[in-house]
Amino acid sequence: MYQKQVKEAFVSNLNGTSVLEVTQGLCFPAFCILCRGLLIIFSQHLCSFSHTWRTRFFLDFVVLIVPLVTTLTILSSFVLIEHLTILACGAWLFYQIYQRRTCYARVPVQKILEKFLTISLESDHNPVITCYRVINSVFTAIAILAVDFPLFPRRLAKTELYGTGAMDFGVGGFIFGTAMVCPEVRRKHIDGFRLNYFRKSLYSVWPLVVLGVGRLVLTKSIDYQEHVTEYGVHWNFFFTIIVVKLVTSLLLIIFPLDKSWIVAISIAVLYQLALDLTPLKRLILYGTDGSGTRVGFLNANREGIISTLGYVAIHMAGVQTGLCVLKKRTHIRDWMKVASGLLLVAVSFFIALHVVQVNVEVVSRRMANLAFCMWITASSLMLLSCLLLSDIILSFAKFLIKGALVPCSWKLSQLPATNTKHSGSLVLEAEKRELCLCLITALNRNQLLFFLLSNITTGLINLTVDTLHSSTLWALLILGFYMFINCLVIYILYLQGKIIKF
């Protein structure tokens, strides 16, 4: 019991860090994905490198997972240096690819760019949202275990009441990412009576009910440490997803899909007005009797229940973003406009966020207030714009090398002529092989299973290891092994074609 109280105190009463630091750390993986793609192109065509599933898994793990582990732990104070380092590596790789290009070898760079802007992309698969969702999943998996070790900076952990920590982005980012690919956005509507669609949505949440109840029973039965002010005594992440899914399904039946941004703003603003002008904020912070009581279901779970209003607003903002990003486009020029548009909107949201924090209320994950909704939306749009920009640069690198194949990236549907001969059948066979060897795609296909596996292994490690008194080296070894095993299990399942559906 004493150990449980110490661990709970270790992750409580924290105030977070700056919005800028969280944004820097969040966008860092986008440039890691770019370097990974450039390195694959370089190794495919410019040096002898065996592309077996083992070597590709090792490459993806070292380039994508390890930097994220270090960013959240020992290198958390050197995020800017990490950015400069990864950008320098990417620039060097791109220069080497450009110098050894097999397409337009004797054509000036201006002419190459003109040709590149006219090519078409296969738009059936959008890698940007896939990468967004995987980045959020990996960051969450690392953080839920790392936070229990002293090497994890306390400023990056979840805040108690106000502030922005790296872990505060997790749930909001997950809901935003899920909204971008929800059935409504992918136009999977049910014809006929609209309430039939809602009934189907109601039926589809039963696996989440099982997971939420299962987590509640398990944590209570083994007396596992909990941060009560995060959701409450009985509430958890799965219950929040259930409520958000059902409420947003009703809203999307009532309101037009392309007006989701109006619904999002309306809910966020009205909720903030309720917090400021009614006793709602006092209820969240101190309960119905004003003394922090946990008697009764509402008092026991007041944070989780009331904060769902903010998450509903975030979901609706994600729906609007998904409509924009998943819209059919083929030309690079169009996607460059989308990237610049998302960046402009993200910057506008950050400016508005500063105004709201100064004049209304600062970010509070506990209440999911207006500032929190704006922060999640702005950070998500910034990450999406970075991913779009990275994929455009990667597409240009693929444009320069005939037959370049990078998993989880755009396919060029109009390839230029080249001075080397390639067999069409060999390219097709190589393409199928390369597309299978991808950790990003594997994690995306079994995202919920990866989340559950991470939670289970986190619990086992916490029950068997004294995390509070672990050295930096020992903690890094545990974190590295933990992520290696979780990623390897998901990767092998993907190679075997096994996708766990919930």
Side-chain angles (χ1 to χ4, degrees):
M1 179 63 69
Y2 173 75
Q3 184 77 359
K4 176 188 174 183
Q5 292 172 347
V6 171
K7 287 189 174 185
E8 288 174 349
F10 191 59
V11 296
S12 302
N13 302 313
L14 303 173
N15 299 315
T17 183
S18 67
V19 171
L20 178 60
E21 183 177 13
V22 177
T23 305
Q24 287 178 334
L26 189 63
C27 294
F28 176 68
F31 304 117
C32 292
I33 291 174
L34 172 61
C35 278
R36 171 248 194 188
L38 295 173
L39 186 59
I40 289 173
I41 296 174
F42 187 83
S43 63
Q44 278 177 343
H45 299 276
L46 307 177
C47 65
S48 57
F49 186 80
S50 176
H51 286 273
T52 65
W53 73 267
R54 294 178 182 84
T55 54
R56 181 55 62 79
F57 174 79
F58 179 77
L59 173 65
D60 283 355
F61 186 82
V62 170
V63 178
L64 299 179
I65 307 300
V66 173
L68 270 62
V69 173
T70 58
T71 298
L72 287 174
T73 53
I74 56 175
L75 297 181
S76 60
S77 300
F78 306 97
V79 177
L80 182 59
I81 296 177
E82 283 188 295
H83 274 272
L84 294 176
T85 302
I86 200 72
L87 289 174
C89 291
W92 181 84
L93 285 168
F94 185 84
Y95 176 76
Q96 295 299 321
I97 292 171
Y98 179 80
Q99 289 295 102
R100 295 166 172 81
R101 63 189 183 276
T102 59
C103 301
Y104 305 112
R106 300 183 183 277
V107 178
V109 62
Q110 184 177 356
K111 295 292 184 181
I112 297 176
L113 286 172
E114 290 177 0
K115 292 286 186 181
F116 174 65
L117 292 176
T118 62
I119 68 167
S120 297
L121 301 171
E122 291 187 8
S123 56
D124 292 337
H125 171 69
N126 193 322
V128 175
I129 293 180
T130 296
C131 292
Y132 172 94
R133 286 157 57 83
V134 169
I135 287 172
N136 191 60
S137 295
V138 172
F139 258 134
T140 301
I142 296 170
I144 58 175
L145 177 60
V147 70
D148 295 316
F149 290 92
L151 89 163
F152 187 85
R154 296 300 94 189
R155 69 182 187 278
L156 300 183
K158 290 181 179 179
T159 55
E160 186 68 26
L161 179 55
Y162 292 109
T164 52
M167 291 186 69
D168 289 322
F169 179 82
V171 179
F174 181 88
I175 287 178
F176 192 95
T178 302
M180 287 192 291
V181 293
C182 69
E184 294 87 352
V185 172
R186 288 181 285 128
R187 306 292 180 178
K188 290 188 177 180
H189 296 293
I190 296 179
D191 297 328
F193 193 42
R194 287 189 169 188
L195 285 181
N196 290 334
Y197 173 68
F198 178 72
R199 278 197 289 267
K200 187 161 187 177
S201 298
L202 188 63
Y203 175 75
S204 68
V205 301
W206 73 263
L208 294 172
V209 175
V210 174
L211 292 172
V213 173
R215 187 187 188 281
L216 173 63
V217 172
L218 184 62
T219 53
K220 296 301 181 182
S221 61
I222 64 175
D223 202 25
Y224 193 74
Q225 68 265 14
E226 295 177 280
H227 193 185
V228 174
T229 56
E230 182 179 358
Y231 293 109
V233 178
H234 312 105
W235 203 267
N236 59 51
F237 171 67
F238 296 108
F239 296 144
T240 294
I241 298 176
I242 293 169
V243 175
V244 169
K245 180 175 176 57
L246 295 179
V247 172
T248 54
S249 294
L250 276 175
L251 290 174
L252 292 172
I253 288 174
I254 299 170
F255 298 98
L257 200 62
D258 58 354
K259 297 297 187 292
S260 297
W261 65 276
I262 298 177
V263 179
I265 294 175
S266 301
I267 293 174
V269 171
L270 290 174
Y271 175 46
Q272 183 63 51
L273 289 174
L275 289 173
D276 292 337
L277 303 178
T278 70
L280 187 62
K281 182 187 297 185
R282 183 175 178 83
L283 172 63
I284 296 174
L285 301 182
Y286 307 111
T288 53
D289 64 354
S291 62
T293 179
R294 293 288 175 179
V295 178
F297 182 77
L298 177 60
N299 283 315
N301 306 285
R302 54 183 185 266
E303 295 91 351
I305 295 172
I306 301 175
S307 66
T308 53
L309 289 170
Y311 290 117
V312 167
I314 291 172
H315 183 98
M316 299 302 290
V319 168
Q320 189 70 53
T321 305
L323 287 175
C324 173
V325 178
L326 290 178
K327 185 178 179 180
K328 294 291 183 180
R329 298 178 181 88
T330 55
H331 295 290
I332 286 288
R333 196 188 302 272
D334 297 330
W335 283 110
M336 292 178 68
K337 292 179 181 178
V338 175
S340 59
L342 288 176
L343 181 61
L344 180 61
V345 175
V347 172
S348 301
F349 263 93
F350 277 121
I351 294 173
L353 172 62
H354 175 73
V355 174
V356 169
Q357 291 205 108
V358 170
N359 298 285
V360 182
E361 189 176 39
V362 298
V363 173
S364 173
R365 172 199 49 78
R366 186 172 173 182
M367 292 184 285
N369 59 358
L370 174 63
F372 178 78
C373 297
M374 296 178 67
W375 173 55
I376 294 296
T377 304
S379 300
S380 298
L381 293 176
M382 182 63 72
L383 176 55
L384 285 170
S385 64
C386 289
L387 288 169
L388 266 173
L389 177 61
S390 298
D391 226 345
I392 290 170
I393 296 173
L394 185 58
S395 296
F396 185 56
K398 291 163 65 177
F399 177 76
L400 298 173
I401 303 293
K402 179 66 175 179
L405 299 170
V406 179
C408 201
S409 66
W410 274 316
K411 297 179 185 178
L412 309 183
S413 58
Q414 291 181 4
L415 294 174
T418 177
N419 55 5
T420 60
K421 294 182 179 180
H422 292 270
S423 169
S425 60
L426 290 177
V427 171
L428 183 60
E429 184 181 347
E431 181 178 358
K432 290 180 179 179
R433 184 178 67 252
E434 292 295 331
L435 293 178
C436 291
L437 306 177
C438 180
L439 180 58
I440 296 176
T441 306
L443 293 175
N444 183 62
R445 293 287 178 85
N446 277 311
Q447 190 171 160
L448 186 54
L449 180 63
F450 177 69
F451 178 75
L452 293 175
L453 182 62
S454 300
N455 274 269
I456 292 171
T457 49
T458 294
L460 292 175
I461 291 172
N462 266 288
L463 293 173
T464 55
V465 176
D466 183 8
T467 57
L468 296 180
H469 300 93
S470 297
S471 65
T472 298
L473 179 60
W474 179 236
L476 278 176
L477 289 174
I478 292 175
L479 279 171
F481 183 73
Y482 154 84
M483 287 303 298
F484 182 84
I485 294 299
N486 289 342
C487 290
L488 183 61
V489 169
I490 300 299
Y491 192 76
I492 291 175
L493 286 174
Y494 171 67
L495 291 179
Q496 294 177 349
K498 296 179 180 178
I499 302 174
I500 309 300
K501 297 288 186 180
F502 290 90

